[in-house]
Amino acid sequence: MTDNVVYLHGKPKEIAHAVRVGFRKHGLCEQLLSANRLTSQRFVLDAVTEGTRRHKSLIRSLKDRRSEIVLDTNCAELSGSGLFSGSAKSAPWAVKGRALEEADFTPGTNRSVIEPIARYAVKSEVTAILAPSHFLGKDNQRWLPIDLKSCEALRKALDQSGGGHIPIDYPVIASYAQFRDPHFRKSLVGELRNLPIDRIWLRIASFGAGSTGVGISRFVEGAADFHSLGIPLIADCVGGIASLAVTAMGGVSGFASGLEGRQRFDASNWLKPSAGGGGNGSKRIFISGLNRSLSTSEMRQFFDDTRTSRQLFGCSDPTCRGDIDKMLRSPEAHQAIQVGKLVKSLSEVPESLRAEQFLENYLLDRVKIAGRVDRIRNMKDDLRVKIGASAKRLELAYEALSGLHDRIGTFEFPAEAKFRCGARQIDLFQESSS
């Protein structure tokens, strides 16, 4: 049907949505792909040593679908004292017993991670690679000149290893305070201008799902400084209302979020080991009408107690889960399908109308739904408090983003993040078809 659409003023820029698979979600991702529950064709994979069985199987499935595969080197995690011994330790360039140090990013040495990363990317036949960069927050800016040189060295190593067709994307991983600082942004844009990069990924601490309307507005305004680079911008580890808002308002070209988690970047445990023992393992489901996650047990009780809650939040979409039980059993599939539909719908709206459509046809609708829920009588007190807080946050978000739109109007959108299918992947596809 969409192939027959005629655009009188040119086809609108597509919103790029990349799925971050995560270290333990290969099986889930492949399951959703097999069930045709993932509409996105862009995926971010973490590096793992020689590839586990599930990792190899997923890569094969993504290649068969000619998906865009972006490799995350996880160097930021491997260089953090609080993370190097976690899931990222399975990367081929991880060093047992210690975090990566500055000397590990000097190309041409025995310790260098640059050449192994290039060889891994070529062997894995990925579409693109995230440059090895680091979290710059809190007296950690010594990494910036090292990261800039590493990016240039990686380009050289890729070219020498037969990966000249693999573009490099640069992750800007910074604190919220840094991103808010116009001097920091201006200086960083100047440093990035001459790098051999295809895209910028903005991973900003304390931003993502659950961010306030004021926070989202500030992110959009800050991202606008990077538009002068003339390349696409991706909001990384961003979910919920924030992911759609920053794209619809013209801040970025697209966003990346996880199947489960990775909806918000939390840097609190990056510089020191976490003292906690992890979560309680309770499965959670994201409720878009409230812009928050709740445990599936809470939602099941909520659905059982009130018919109104089922009408407002229960999934009756036959192309999705179709009923509440399936929705709660497979919350990841429900969220993936709904996000895919929203991204597709917004992508079909011309940029000049996109912010208004988002505000009036999506966000305001969520405000009204949340307001209705707060009036339900038969609800547990703790859940009422959570929903009341969500309703207020949504209302304030609508006011803040409407104010931004009234004050600034439509931003000049950044470059479109067009779908990338590497030359090698096309060759493989053609070989398998012949």
Side-chain angles (χ1 to χ4, degrees):
M1 291 291 290
T2 55
D3 293 339
N4 296 324
V5 174
V6 177
Y7 297 97
L8 298 178
H9 302 287
K11 185 177 180 180
K13 292 179 179 178
E14 178 190 4
I15 294 173
H17 172 216
V19 174
R20 273 192 166 273
V21 176
F23 289 100
R24 300 183 180 89
K25 303 301 176 184
H26 299 91
L28 171 62
C29 184
E30 193 159 20
Q31 176 189 341
L32 295 177
L33 283 171
S34 299
N36 201 29
R37 299 301 185 188
L38 284 177
T39 57
S40 176
Q41 281 212 289
R42 308 163 194 255
F43 297 84
V44 184
L45 300 184
D46 297 299
V48 295
T49 302
E50 295 304 320
T52 62
R53 178 180 60 82
R54 284 187 171 182
H55 180 80
K56 289 180 178 179
S57 179
L58 175 59
I59 286 184
R60 183 69 268 164
S61 295
L62 295 178
K63 288 177 180 176
D64 288 344
R65 289 168 171 78
R66 301 180 69 188
S67 299
E68 177 180 306
I69 305 173
V70 180
L71 172 67
D72 189 342
T73 66
N74 302 121
C75 286
E77 290 86 348
L78 289 170
S79 302
S81 59
L83 294 177
F84 76 87
S85 60
S87 299
K89 67 182 179 184
S90 61
W93 36 89
V95 180
K96 187 175 181 180
R98 69 169 174 84
L100 293 182
E101 301 168 346
E102 296 176 22
D104 296 310
F105 296 90
T106 303
T109 65
N110 291 334
R111 291 180 58 172
S112 172
V113 302
I114 303 299
E115 292 79 12
I117 288 173
R119 291 192 293 268
Y120 183 97
V122 173
K123 180 180 178 182
S124 301
E125 298 168 347
V126 298
T127 313
I129 182 171
L130 296 179
S133 68
H134 295 80
F135 177 52
L136 301 176
K138 197 174 182 179
D139 303 323
N140 216 31
Q141 295 188 53
R142 73 183 190 283
W143 280 112
L144 181 57
I146 297 170
D147 292 344
L148 298 174
K149 292 179 180 178
S150 293
C151 182
E152 294 176 334
L154 179 58
R155 179 71 275 160
K156 182 178 179 181
L158 283 169
D159 294 345
Q160 293 175 342
S161 301
H165 61 284
I166 301 176
I168 298 175
D169 294 350
Y170 192 93
V172 172
I173 312 175
S175 70
Y176 183 74
Q178 286 174 321
F179 191 70
R180 283 275 292 139
D181 184 351
H183 299 293
F184 174 83
R185 295 196 304 268
K186 182 178 179 180
S187 175
L188 186 56
V189 167
E191 297 282 9
L192 297 174
R193 193 171 299 281
N194 296 318
L195 282 185
I197 53 178
D198 196 55
R199 294 176 187 180
I200 299 289
W201 291 55
L202 298 173
R203 196 191 315 179
I204 308 303
S206 303
F207 184 77
S211 289
T212 65
V214 172
I216 295 171
S217 297
R218 289 172 175 172
F219 183 95
V220 171
E221 292 182 280
D225 283 353
F226 293 83
H227 292 190
S228 64
L229 293 170
I231 58 178
L233 303 176
I234 305 297
D236 194 12
C237 297
V238 177
I241 292 289
S243 65
L244 298 172
V246 296
T247 52
M249 305 293 288
V252 293
S253 315
F255 66 96
S257 57
L259 290 173
E260 196 175 63
R262 300 205 183 194
Q263 307 284 315
R264 181 184 181 92
F265 175 42
D266 180 9
S268 61
N269 63 338
W270 275 54
L271 301 179
K272 59 182 180 180
S274 174
N280 58 14
S282 176
K283 203 164 193 177
R284 301 182 70 78
I285 182 169
F286 184 79
I287 307 298
S288 61
L290 296 172
N291 191 37
R292 71 171 301 152
S293 293
L294 293 167
S295 70
T296 53
S297 58
E298 279 182 302
M299 286 307 298
R300 186 174 293 281
Q301 183 68 52
F302 190 32
F303 287 146
D304 288 345
D305 288 344
T306 68
R307 178 178 298 178
T308 303
S309 64
R310 296 194 292 272
Q311 294 172 343
L312 295 176
F313 301 120
C315 181
S316 58
D317 183 353
T319 65
C320 186
R321 309 316 296 147
D323 63 56
I324 290 172
D325 285 336
K326 289 181 180 178
M327 172 186 173
L328 294 177
R329 283 201 304 269
S330 185
E332 306 91 353
H334 170 72
Q335 182 176 348
I337 294 169
Q338 296 305 315
V339 170
K341 287 187 172 186
L342 288 170
V343 169
K344 183 177 184 296
S345 176
L346 271 177
S347 291
E348 293 172 350
V349 178
E351 295 93 290
S352 60
L353 302 175
R354 200 170 282 177
E356 185 177 350
Q357 289 282 323
F358 167 75
L359 289 169
E360 302 305 322
N361 293 351
Y362 178 78
L363 185 52
L364 184 58
D365 184 53
R366 266 55 187 177
V367 172
K368 293 176 179 177
I369 289 175
R372 286 183 61 188
V373 176
D374 197 36
R375 293 193 293 270
I376 294 176
R377 293 181 179 179
N378 189 18
M379 190 191 318
K380 290 187 175 180
D381 290 341
D382 57 344
L383 186 57
R384 185 178 297 280
V385 170
K386 292 178 182 179
I387 289 179
S390 297
K392 184 63 176 178
R393 183 181 291 264
L394 282 168
E395 183 180 348
L396 292 175
Y398 175 77
E399 292 178 359
L401 293 173
S402 296
L404 175 68
H405 185 52
D406 292 341
R407 177 165 52 89
I408 296 180
T410 302
F411 279 104
E412 184 67 31
F413 275 53
E416 182 179 9
K418 295 183 178 180
F419 177 73
R420 299 176 295 193
C421 189
R424 179 57 181 155
Q425 285 178 268
I426 294 175
D427 292 342
L428 288 170
F429 181 80
Q430 291 173 340
E431 290 170 9
S432 65
S433 302
S434 61

